[in-house]
Amino acid sequence: MLLANYRLPYSDSYIEVRQSGEPILLYSIEELRGIEGFVIAPFDISPQTPLVVIPAKDAKITEKHCSQKPCSVDCSVKEILPISASYKKDFNNFHEAITSGHFAKLVLARISRQEHPQQDPESLFLYFCHKYPRAMVMLFDTPQTGTWIMATPEILLEQQKSLFRTMALAGTMPFCEGFPEWSEKNKHEQNIVELYIESIISPFCDQIIKDGPQTVRAGNLMHLRTDFRFHLKSEVSTAELLARLHPTPAVCGLPKDEAKKFIIKNESIDRKYYSGFAGPLNLNGETHLYVSLRCMNIFDNQYIVYAGGGIMSESVAEEEWKETELKIINRV
């Protein structure tokens, strides 16, 4: 059985997609042209991590209310751990590549393994729906991907009728009331991402409506975000634009292609479906594809939690570690 649940931000209901057949396995984003279904894309498409689609055809698609029943999940605040040797080694490697002039930005990811009693994934999904009302919450389970759950704030591409939307999201700090003072590093990082996203979508549309940057809340964290709205030119397909957008600088770096190769070669972890994208594509006439952030891969007695952060020339290892720890703490 193939399963995907997704709850759009601020909604009090979610969509369940169940399919008893086989998923569609693709090996390029361009192959999504004309596809309808729930899409699960990895950071890097390969024979080991294909792009998986739960097809809409013959699927049972049900809208359900987000239950108010409490979930027995341990969500107590956990202490920030000291920086690990492997993360510090990766940071130094990434930082040297930036300061030597090869990259403007690189995103360094890590994992945290957390033991837990066996937990029903769908109960956990409902718990995340209540904990993260502003996020897109998704649960998917296929033989190719395993079981994943996420509460992500970052739109890769949305479409409602002829209007498309994407965003530039970067910078992280703990939530605080009032008007936060963003560091120059965070503002610089967000500006790089914003300019890049605008340069990618500009050739595909005639006019862009841009709003931001603004501070947005994601759980107990805050980010800087700029929204883009636009209409695609008639000769451009959604799949073509997706292939250009993924992976965004928020999860990869700049220049994009070289940064992706560097990450795959030098990062200590295998990202799998973390920092890919997921969501409904052309399902009931709508598309809601989100970057796969705030993720964890669920096993019988263990969560593998993923987190990452943007490394710039002015980055400091201990501060970047703390940012990923805050993201991990706010996940469970």
Side-chain angles (χ1 to χ4, degrees):
M1 177 67 71
L2 311 176
L3 170 69
N5 290 348
Y6 65 93
R7 198 288 317 269
L8 294 173
Y10 299 104
S11 178
D12 59 2
S13 63
Y14 68 95
I15 302 298
E16 179 188 81
V17 181
R18 287 187 179 270
Q19 169 63 268
S20 59
E22 294 295 321
I24 300 169
L25 305 183
L26 305 176
Y27 296 93
S28 73
I29 294 175
E30 288 85 354
E31 292 179 78
L32 284 171
R33 187 165 189 166
I35 293 285
E36 297 180 6
F38 189 92
V39 173
I40 308 163
F43 175 68
D44 180 50
I45 298 173
S46 70
Q48 293 73 38
T49 52
L51 195 164
V52 178
V53 180
I54 301 176
K57 185 179 180 182
D58 299 326
K60 183 180 179 182
I61 302 173
T62 310
E63 183 174 2
K64 296 185 174 184
H65 184 73
C66 294
S67 170
Q68 297 296 323
K69 183 180 179 181
C71 176
S72 57
V73 175
D74 177 13
C75 55
S76 58
V77 175
K78 298 169 178 61
E79 62 178 351
I80 293 177
L81 300 175
I83 188 169
S84 72
S86 62
Y87 182 85
K88 196 160 190 176
K89 180 182 177 182
D90 279 358
F91 176 89
N92 291 337
N93 194 11
F94 278 48
H95 193 254
E96 183 180 355
I98 293 167
T99 55
S100 62
H102 295 297
F103 302 99
K105 172 187 175 178
L106 288 168
V107 175
L108 174 58
R110 54 175 285 241
I111 61 171
S112 173
R113 299 179 185 272
Q114 302 184 4
E115 303 300 320
H116 71 90
Q118 192 162 4
Q119 177 73 50
D120 172 38
E122 294 193 65
S123 295
L124 193 60
F125 167 79
L126 291 172
Y127 166 75
F128 272 64
C129 286
H130 294 296
K131 187 176 182 183
Y132 300 106
R134 301 171 179 83
M136 170 68 143
V137 181
M138 290 184 274
L139 163 70
F140 54 82
D141 183 11
T142 76
Q144 291 75 21
T145 63
T147 306
W148 290 70
I149 192 167
M150 66 190 69
T152 171
E154 184 177 355
I155 295 169
L156 181 66
L157 192 65
E158 280 195 320
Q159 179 187 7
Q160 291 179 295
K161 297 183 179 180
S162 64
L163 183 66
F164 286 80
R165 182 184 173 207
T166 188
M167 64 172 56
L169 187 79
T172 302
M173 64 184 294
F175 173 75
C176 64
E177 299 289 351
F179 299 95
E181 293 186 12
W182 288 95
S183 68
E184 290 303 315
K185 182 262 180 184
N186 277 310
K187 290 189 285 188
H188 182 204
E189 182 182 354
Q190 204 281 337
N191 184 246
I192 286 177
V193 175
E194 177 183 320
L195 292 174
Y196 173 79
I197 296 295
E198 189 168 8
S199 73
I200 288 295
I201 62 179
S202 291
F204 296 104
C205 57
D206 295 318
Q207 182 183 11
I208 298 172
I209 301 171
K210 185 167 71 170
D211 182 22
Q214 59 186 314
T215 299
V216 294
R217 183 178 179 181
N220 291 326
L221 301 176
M222 297 186 297
H223 305 288
L224 285 168
R225 189 183 82 195
T226 300
D227 293 320
F228 300 91
R229 290 174 292 155
F230 55 95
H231 295 273
L232 277 186
K233 293 178 179 178
S234 58
E235 67 272 18
V236 178
S237 70
T238 302
E240 184 181 356
L241 179 56
L242 282 170
R244 293 291 305 278
L245 283 171
H246 175 73
T248 71
V251 298
C252 183
L254 288 172
K256 182 177 82 169
D257 293 340
E258 291 83 354
K260 183 179 177 184
K261 291 176 184 176
F262 182 90
I263 289 168
I264 292 169
K265 182 178 179 181
N266 293 281
E267 203 169 59
S268 294
I269 68 166
D270 180 357
R271 294 190 180 192
K272 298 183 180 178
Y273 290 89
Y274 166 71
S275 68
F277 62 90
L281 174 65
N282 301 320
L283 202 62
N284 296 328
E286 294 189 1
T287 292
H288 301 279
L289 298 174
Y290 278 66
V291 181
S292 301
L293 301 174
R294 311 294 161 83
C295 291
M296 60 186 186
N297 195 182
I298 300 174
F299 297 90
D300 285 345
N301 296 298
Q302 180 178 243
Y303 302 137
I304 298 183
V305 184
Y306 290 76
I311 309 300
M312 310 283 288
S313 60
E314 57 267 51
S315 295
V316 176
E318 286 74 15
E319 292 178 2
E320 297 301 328
W321 170 266
K322 183 178 179 181
E323 178 180 315
T324 60
E325 280 287 283
L326 288 171
K327 289 175 178 176
I328 288 167
I329 287 171
N330 280 279
R331 197 79 41 84
V332 295

